[in-house]
Amino acid sequence: MRTSTGSALRIVQVGLGGFGRNWAAEMIPQVSEVELVGSADVSEQSREAAVKAGVADPDRCFSTAEEAIEAVDPDAVLVTASLVGHVPAIRAALLAGKHVMTEKPFAPSVEEATELVELADSKGLTLAVSQNYRFFPAVRAVQQIVAAGELGDLHAVELDFRRFSGSDGRRGPHHFLDEPLLVDMSIHHFDLFRTVLGRDAAQITCRTWDPDWSLFSGPSEGVALIDFGDVTASYRGSWVSHGTPTPWAGEWRMDFAEGSVEWTSRGDGKDGWQADKVEIRTGDEVRQVELPTVQRTDRAGSLTEFARSIAEGRQPENSGRNNLGSLALTYAAVESASTRSAISIG
């Protein structure tokens, strides 16, 4: 198990499945601001796998969040369990007086997420959500372009996401989800809409479907029209596209009064930031934007922001309260797809 000294934030990790073990092996070691002091998972098999992989200490690996918190008295809890385990683990940590960062989706409903946000506020604790796609150079650059208004008013945004999951004939855990596109994948894109536009959605109309030959249990493709007030966004996402795969953040085009911005972000692998690219088109001129340096990208970036916000006594940009807008948009998309009607948000 990784250890550190000094003023590092002492954390317990709850959730040691395959994704949780990846967190422990690849992400937590990048962040010197934290120290992993304990782990927990309700599954004995997952605990044993984590110990065998060397990412959990057998003497500090417990079956529940409550047991781990009581045994090691951490400063904070990192929840990397599946969605069903989020609310119980978050609530247990907050009631014990611990800061929390959780994986997305934050909670199964906006109501449950709001209750947890209010509980954290009442106790003066930090609650954050790891919306990791925010922590990439292209996203930062586009945020600055929109905020500066250098291209005039923004009026339309297009985003296309294409991947073919299961092309090798094998099914992974996400193939069995009820909402493999919207709740597991599109939630990242919906959060990026809010992040780069700096505003919340007012309404969404969404349609989803799944081809007969797909390996998915739920809808793997979808389209949406999202109203952000004076900006309209169109979205297409597919887990079963034979088209050229996009980076994970998708391919974006943003139309302004005086030009357009085309960009993409988050490629494959540990150096996914190298796929980041932003271009500004004005007339016949195309200019590539110099991207800012982001010290730590992806999930390591979200964990860094969480730890530093606590040390600096401020709210993290990926706070639970901020994430309510992304969660509301995601579940409104699900409702719209189910009812085949436009859904107002907020």
Side-chain angles (χ1 to χ4, degrees):
M1 175 178 284
R2 175 183 184 274
T3 60
S4 63
T5 59
S7 58
L9 189 73
R10 301 173 66 255
I11 65 171
V12 157
Q13 181 186 4
V14 178
L16 297 172
F19 191 60
R21 295 195 295 275
N22 179 268
W23 257 101
E26 302 291 341
M27 297 297 147
I28 296 174
Q30 295 184 45
V31 184
S32 58
E33 290 87 347
V34 303
E35 175 187 0
L36 184 61
V37 297
S39 308
D41 196 294
V42 295
S43 166
E44 182 179 2
Q45 183 178 3
S46 292
R47 296 196 302 273
E48 290 176 350
V51 170
K52 183 177 180 180
V55 296
D57 185 334
D59 294 328
R60 291 184 288 174
C61 190
F62 305 89
S63 60
T64 67
E66 291 86 345
E67 291 174 357
I69 292 168
E70 182 177 359
V72 302
D73 191 25
D75 303 310
V77 173
L78 172 65
V79 180
T80 57
S82 58
L83 176 57
V84 69
H86 286 191
V87 171
I90 296 168
R91 183 180 290 116
L94 293 175
L95 290 174
K98 310 302 178 185
H99 304 290
V100 183
M101 187 171 82
T102 183
E103 257 295 342
K104 61 81 194 169
F106 183 178
S109 70
V110 176
E111 291 74 21
E112 289 170 287
T114 301
E115 181 264 323
L116 294 173
V117 166
E118 293 175 350
L119 176 60
D121 285 351
S122 72
K123 291 182 170 294
L125 297 169
T126 296
L127 174 56
V129 181
S130 181
Q131 290 284 181
N132 50 303
Y133 284 32
R134 294 185 176 203
F135 299 92
F136 280 87
V139 178
R140 298 306 194 199
V142 175
Q143 280 182 294
Q144 294 170 9
I145 292 170
V146 173
E150 60 185 83
L151 294 175
D153 292 338
L154 174 66
H155 59 91
V157 181
E158 299 175 13
L159 169 55
D160 195 5
F161 168 76
R162 299 182 302 275
R163 289 273 165 158
F164 195 158
S165 179
S167 60
D168 58 0
R170 292 183 295 181
R171 304 177 80 180
H174 65 296
H175 285 93
F176 298 94
L177 297 175
D178 292 335
E179 294 289 346
L181 178 67
L182 296 179
V183 176
D184 190 53
M185 188 66 239
S186 301
I187 188 171
H188 286 296
H189 303 136
F190 294 157
D191 185 70
L192 284 179
F193 276 125
R194 296 182 57 248
T195 299
V196 299
L197 297 181
R199 66 188 80 183
D200 285 320
Q203 182 176 274
I204 184 169
T205 301
C206 182
R207 299 289 183 271
T208 58
W209 63 93
D210 192 52
D212 291 341
W213 45 263
S214 165
L215 297 181
F216 285 88
S217 299
S220 59
E221 296 188 281
V223 294
L225 192 67
I226 312 172
D227 177 5
F228 285 92
D230 55 353
V231 177
T232 299
S234 59
Y235 173 74
R236 179 182 184 274
S238 176
W239 267 127
V240 290
S241 173
H242 284 281
T244 302
T246 67
W248 290 99
E251 293 175 343
W252 294 67
R253 189 177 77 200
M254 307 176 70
D255 286 317
F256 297 79
E258 300 173 18
S260 66
V261 175
E262 296 182 6
W263 65 280
T264 192
S265 178
R266 196 179 189 268
D268 293 300
K270 294 181 179 180
D271 296 325
W273 57 270
Q274 294 186 12
D276 282 32
K277 183 179 181 180
V278 180
E279 290 183 343
I280 295 178
R281 181 183 296 273
T282 51
D284 294 331
E285 180 183 354
V286 178
R287 171 170 59 90
Q288 188 158 322
V289 175
E290 182 178 353
L291 301 182
T293 298
V294 176
Q295 181 187 8
R296 297 180 187 134
T297 59
D298 213 289
R299 286 173 284 150
S302 63
L303 182 57
T304 298
E305 169 65 7
F306 173 62
R308 289 180 178 173
S309 71
I310 293 170
E312 296 166 6
R314 60 175 175 81
Q315 282 296 304
E317 74 162 84
N318 54 334
S319 71
R321 183 167 294 282
N322 177 277
N323 192 254
L324 293 176
S326 298
L327 201 65
L329 176 54
T330 300
Y331 290 142
V334 173
E335 182 180 355
S336 177
S338 174
T339 61
R340 301 186 71 81
S341 62
I343 302 298
S344 296
I345 306 165

